[in-house]
Amino acid sequence: MRILIYGDESMGSLLYELFCGEGHSVERYNESVAISSFDVLFICVPWDFFERALREVSHKARRDALLVDTLQEKDLTIPMLEGTGFDYFSIYPLMTIESKITDVVVVRKSGKREEKIILDAFAKSGSKVVEMNLHEYQKWLVEDQVLEGVDQMRNSIRSIDRFILKLLERRIEIAQKIARRKSKMNEAIEVREVEEEKMREILSETSLNPLLTKEIFELIMKLTKEEEYKALGISRTVAILGPKGSFSEEMGLKLVGSRVPLRYCFTTDEIIKLVESGEVDYGIAPIENSTNGTVFPVLDALLNHDVEVFGESNLEINQCLVARRRLKLNDIKRVLSHPQAVAQCMGFLNNYLSNAEIRYTSSTSDAVNLLDDYSAAIMSENGARLHKLYVLRKGIQDLKKENITRFYIIRKRTGKTCGRITSLFFSVEDRPGSLKDALEVFQRKGFNLRKLESRPAKTVLGDYVFFVEVEAPLSEEDLKELREVTAFYKVIGVFDTIESLNVYE
């Protein structure tokens, strides 16, 4: 059997000595050697040169020759060898610091008789021969092998990195299947409670730096979600005030048509921060209700963050009294809900449940978790249906036909202005008539203000910032006049009413 050792690394030298000792005709490769005259060709080059070496060998070798791959990176070398059309034998000889081959891992065999001759030679020299498939080999590289020598350790790290990459690809492949099922069930891709529980489990199972570990897995989850959305053709995501069953979700479903791209948040401030950071593309936040008036936390967040309003939409709010079981009104001891929902239903509560205790929750849907057999909650009919609750009374809000919540639709600031409404903040100097001077800018031009609010400037007592919605798209000339009579101003959006949001590619 004529053997060619392609490569003069330490492994090549060991193989040369081994097969010469067994009486075979063995040569080291050089440019004068005729590759086509050999039965077996060992490729013993560093990974960086493997592709070039394989190209030369496969181009010049006889078609019945056996190619032998000795590199550690089997996940890369095997696909290349498959592409040559040659019979190949993929092995990984383990070499000690004393330049002795102790073990030979066989990953892929072709069945040619030369393979048995090669393995017999290894066994005669005292090497232990172990056979495993590619998956078992990759697992062994990561978990089981004993490493000696810096180069061997570095090669193992490279293999582990590639194995990690394969696992990431597999993770994403499974996540995409889950995403497709969620899409059919009209469920959101991102569920914070599930992700937080995953993170707690991960951090509890390692002694590594928890901050860096958390950061790594957050990036893995972010990459996974990007690929899930891509698989569904979704290019934009939307943050809303959760949880499921909230009126904000109803607004999101009205505009988007599906729960899949929705991201549920605990607070409106979180919505606006996610939009500003670019973690989501759009945010939907309630700005005012016809019963309760302005949602001041949203105003404050819009003042303090760099986002813009590019649309608004209205949702009719119909509140229901719900419970875990059928109850008579005089059996209800407690009523649970968000403060705004309670405020919208005070007439009903005073007339029919005056003896019941009122307890406030962070959202209408969160009240569900606190329900017992003698309590009721105020929430939407959709929320009741979602949580499988009994609807005791429908339409318990004080305004039967006009209980409307208006929502802002926001995005990262683009500078684009299109619409008939301008929203802005401004402040004025602390002197008599300063606010009048600012408002006269709008009066002189015949611009109606459909909304005017004041908010504490959070500097010193008595300092205020004013918020207005002007029924006109303000021009540069309009803003120049406003600048002359204000201490500062900030336009947060020029917009119209919108009926839908396109989140697809």
Side-chain angles (χ1 to χ4, degrees):
M1 185 172 72
R2 298 202 69 210
I3 299 172
L4 177 67
I5 308 295
Y6 191 108
D8 199 22
E9 295 290 311
S10 53
M11 178 59 68
S13 298
L14 280 176
L15 295 173
Y16 180 84
E17 293 172 7
L18 173 66
F19 291 106
C20 279
E22 289 294 310
H24 297 290
S25 173
V26 187
E27 289 190 42
R28 289 191 174 95
Y29 174 75
N30 61 63
E31 291 183 0
S32 63
V33 170
I35 292 177
S36 60
S37 64
F38 293 90
D39 305 301
V40 176
L41 298 96
F42 279 87
I43 304 176
C44 305
V45 297
W47 159 247
D48 296 344
F49 299 96
F50 181 81
E51 186 174 7
R52 187 175 69 187
L54 181 62
R55 192 183 306 118
E56 181 177 5
V57 167
S58 59
H59 181 68
K60 296 179 180 179
R62 298 197 316 262
R63 295 307 300 177
D64 63 345
L66 176 68
L67 307 185
V68 183
D69 151 41
T70 63
L71 271 71
Q72 188 182 56
E73 296 87 348
K74 301 302 183 191
D75 55 325
L76 299 176
T77 60
I78 287 176
M80 291 184 184
L81 287 160
E82 288 281 354
T84 65
F86 278 82
D87 289 325
Y88 67 92
F89 188 32
S90 188
I91 62 175
Y92 178 47
L94 272 75
M95 186 173 64
T96 66
I97 296 174
E98 294 81 17
S99 296
K100 181 182 177 183
I101 297 174
T102 58
D103 298 89
V104 178
V105 180
V106 179
V107 181
R108 191 67 60 88
K109 294 165 70 174
S110 70
K112 289 178 74 73
R113 67 175 185 84
E114 288 87 350
E115 293 171 344
K116 185 176 184 310
I117 296 171
I118 292 168
L119 293 179
D120 287 345
F122 280 125
K124 260 177 99 173
S125 70
S127 299
K128 179 183 176 184
V129 177
V130 180
E131 294 191 23
M132 56 183 73
N133 61 37
L134 182 57
H135 177 73
E136 291 168 337
Y137 171 76
Q138 288 175 319
K139 183 174 180 292
W140 169 79
L141 277 180
V142 174
E143 297 178 358
D144 301 330
Q145 69 163 316
V146 178
L147 302 173
E148 298 185 45
V150 172
D151 288 342
Q152 195 177 14
M153 292 177 187
R154 284 174 178 161
N155 285 339
S156 184
I157 287 173
R158 288 166 68 181
S159 292
I160 289 170
D161 288 342
R162 293 188 183 95
F163 190 44
I164 289 171
L165 187 59
K166 294 288 184 186
L167 290 174
L168 279 176
E169 290 171 350
R170 179 61 178 153
R171 184 186 199 275
I172 288 169
E173 182 182 324
I174 294 170
Q176 287 177 328
K177 290 180 181 178
I178 294 172
R180 292 186 183 98
R181 290 191 182 183
K182 282 186 171 183
S183 180
K184 291 178 181 178
M185 298 164 60
N186 193 23
E187 294 289 343
I189 294 293
E190 301 184 45
V191 182
R192 173 182 290 187
E193 292 81 1
V194 173
E195 292 179 0
E196 289 178 348
E197 180 59 30
K198 279 185 199 170
M199 191 64 73
R200 280 193 293 270
E201 288 177 5
I202 290 165
L203 296 179
S204 69
E205 293 173 4
T206 182
S207 59
L208 296 174
N209 182 316
L211 294 177
L212 292 178
T213 303
K214 184 172 184 286
E215 186 177 344
I216 289 167
F217 276 91
E218 282 176 344
L219 289 172
I220 289 172
M221 289 176 183
K222 182 179 180 181
L223 173 63
T224 303
K225 282 180 282 196
E226 282 184 4
E227 294 299 322
E228 286 179 276
Y229 286 125
K230 191 185 298 181
L232 298 177
I234 294 171
S235 58
R236 290 171 286 278
T237 54
V238 185
I240 63 166
L241 189 63
K244 285 174 66 176
S246 67
F247 286 109
S248 289
E249 185 196 55
E250 277 194 40
M251 185 77 260
L253 290 173
K254 176 184 172 183
L255 292 173
V256 178
S258 168
R259 286 192 180 94
V260 177
L262 301 183
R263 179 163 175 176
Y264 296 87
C265 299
F266 291 131
T267 65
T268 52
D269 193 59
E270 182 188 356
I271 293 172
I272 292 169
K273 284 180 179 177
L274 288 174
V275 173
E276 182 182 39
S277 68
E279 286 192 51
V280 298
D281 299 278
Y282 303 136
I284 300 173
I287 188 64
E288 72 172 340
N289 175 263
S290 53
T291 301
N292 292 348
T294 302
V295 183
F296 289 116
V298 174
L299 270 193
D300 294 341
L302 290 170
L303 175 61
N304 295 321
H305 295 284
D306 193 27
V307 296
E308 69 181 12
V309 180
F310 71 98
E312 66 175 1
S313 195
N314 294 339
L315 181 71
E316 185 175 344
I317 305 297
N318 288 300
Q319 301 284 12
C320 297
L321 187 70
V322 305
R324 287 171 53 178
R325 64 188 183 96
R326 296 189 188 280
L327 282 172
K328 294 180 181 179
L329 294 184
N330 56 10
D331 289 334
I332 296 172
K333 296 179 180 178
R334 284 169 297 280
V335 177
L336 306 103
S337 197
H338 188 275
Q340 287 210 352
V342 171
Q344 291 170 20
C345 305
M346 283 309 299
F348 177 87
L349 295 174
N350 288 333
N351 288 329
Y352 297 99
L353 294 168
S354 57
N355 293 324
E357 176 190 358
I358 305 297
R359 288 189 184 176
Y360 296 118
T361 59
S362 59
S363 77
T364 52
S365 300
D366 276 345
V368 174
N369 299 324
L370 300 173
L371 284 175
D372 58 30
D373 287 343
Y374 293 95
S375 60
I378 300 172
M379 65 191 315
S380 69
E381 188 173 356
N382 282 342
R385 193 178 299 117
L386 177 70
H387 296 290
K388 297 182 173 62
L389 299 173
Y390 289 98
V391 177
L392 306 179
R393 292 286 190 279
K394 293 183 182 181
I396 65 171
Q397 68 276 1
D398 296 339
L399 294 176
K400 300 302 181 187
K401 296 290 185 182
E402 294 295 329
N403 188 25
I404 305 295
T405 294
R406 183 161 62 96
F407 289 81
Y408 271 169
I409 297 91
I410 63 171
R411 66 188 175 199
K412 284 189 78 170
R413 189 169 289 278
T414 65
K416 298 176 182 177
T417 58
C418 181
R420 59 183 180 81
I421 305 295
T422 303
S423 286
L424 72 151
F425 293 94
F426 67 86
S427 65
V428 294
E429 295 178 1
D430 186 12
R431 60 174 178 79
S434 59
L435 178 57
K436 171 179 169 294
D437 292 342
L439 296 178
E440 281 184 344
V441 172
F442 307 119
Q443 185 270 330
R444 285 196 302 270
K445 295 175 177 292
F447 295 158
N448 185 49
L449 301 185
R450 71 174 190 180
K451 189 173 184 63
L452 172 62
E453 297 279 359
S454 64
R455 298 296 296 146
K458 299 181 181 179
T459 51
V460 297
L461 185 64
D463 273 2
Y464 284 87
V465 174
F466 298 94
F467 173 75
V468 294
E469 288 184 342
V470 187
E471 291 184 340
L474 299 186
S475 66
E476 284 299 321
E477 183 61 33
D478 300 329
L479 294 173
K480 181 181 177 183
E481 289 187 39
L482 187 63
R483 189 182 304 122
E484 291 172 354
V485 293
T486 57
F488 105 98
Y489 74 87
K490 176 185 178 182
V491 176
I492 61 165
V494 181
F495 55 89
D496 279 320
T497 298
I498 64 173
E499 299 299 329
S500 64
L501 271 176
N502 180 19
V503 298
Y504 296 95
E505 295 173 341

